[in-house]
Amino acid sequence: MGAGHDAVARELARRLRAGGHEAVHRDVLELLPARVGAGLRGFYRTTIRHVPALYGGIYAAFFRGGAGPRPGSAPFAALAGDRLRAEVAHERADAVVAVFHLAAQLTGGLRARGRLAVPSAVVVTDFAVHRQWLHRGNDLHLCLTPDIAREVRRSLGRPAAACGPLLADRFRPHPAGEASWRRRLTADDGRPPVLLSAGAWGAGSRLGATARLLVGAGYLPVVLCGRNERLRRLLSRVPGTLALSWVDDMPGLLAACAAVVDNAAGQTALEALAVGVPVVGYRPIPGHGAEGVRRMAALGLTDYAGDPWRLVQCLDRLTSAGPGPGRRAPAGRGLVRGDVVGPLERLCS
C-alpha cells in the first residue's frame, strides 16, 4: 500500500545484495488471485482519501486487539499461499521476509501449518504494532526500536530484535540537493519552509486549513501531494503555499525545510529524522496513522500537536534556529541504525 513498504523492500534488498546475497522482491497483493490485490489497494486508497472514518472502523475491528474472537486477515492472506510457495520453490529461496502485515499473516500461517519449509521473518514498519503484524508462525520479527522489539517478544513469545529504520544512505544530514532546494524555498520572502507530508497518495485531513494556519503564523507551507494531482491543484490555490507533486529528491527537500508536519508516522517521518529535521505529528489519518504518530511522540522521537495552537507553538520552538547547521537540536537521536542482514543470515543458518 502506498510507497513506504516498497521503499523498505528496496532498501532491504540492497543491503542483502551488498552482503553477498540474492534478493527477489514480490508484491503480496499481486500473489492474490483474479486481481483481488488491485481491488484491495484501490479500496484502501479510496477509503483513506475520501472516507477516513470508515478506515478507522475497519482498523478498530481488524487490527486492534480485544477480548474474545476478533476478525483477521489470515484467511484472506491464505489465498496467496500456493503462489508464494511456487515462488519460493522456483527461486530456491532460503528465507521469506515480509515487510507488509498481510504478507506477515501469509508467511506465519504457512509456517504454522508446515506448508513453508524455509524460515520466515517480518520487518515491522509501523511504530504502533497492531495484531495483523503478529503471527506466532513467523520465526523472527525485526522492529524499528528496542522498545517495540520487547513488546513483540512479550506478546508472541518469539524472537524479536531491533533493526532500526530501513532507509537509503542518501537520507543523511546535508545531502547533495539541500542547497538547491533552499535557494528555491527561500527565494521570495524568507519565511521558514515547513513540509506537510500527505504520503504517496496525498491523503490527509484539512490540509488546506493547515496550510492557511501556517501562512498566518509566518511559515511557508510546502505540501507534498504525492501522486494526487487533484490535491495539488486545490492546495496551489491557497495563497502563500507551495504544493508539490511527486518529488524524487526527498533528502534535499527535507534538509532544506525547518520542520515536517506528519500525519502517518510512516517513511517520510523517518526520512526527516534521518536527515536531521524535527517532526511534529498533527491531524493523523485514522487507525495506524493516529496510533503511530502518538507512539513516536511517546518514544521522544517527535512532537505531537493536538490542536492548531499547539502546532504553531511546536513549530515556533523547533524552528527557532531555522533550517541548516544551526538547528536547535538533532532530530531522531533516539533512532538506531541496527543490523538487518546479520539476523537474517543467522535465521537461514
Side-chain angles (χ1 to χ4, degrees), residues 22-32 80-96 106-107 110 115-118:
E22 295 182 35
V24 178
H25 180 193
R26 293 289 182 266
D27 187 341
V28 66
L29 297 182
E30 293 178 1
L31 298 179
L32 292 168
D82 289 342
R83 291 190 65 181
L84 176 62
R85 292 172 65 232
E87 290 279 353
V88 169
H90 175 72
E91 301 291 346
R92 300 198 301 179
D94 296 300
V96 180
L106 169 60
T107 56
L110 290 174
R115 299 190 65 203
L116 183 63
V118 300

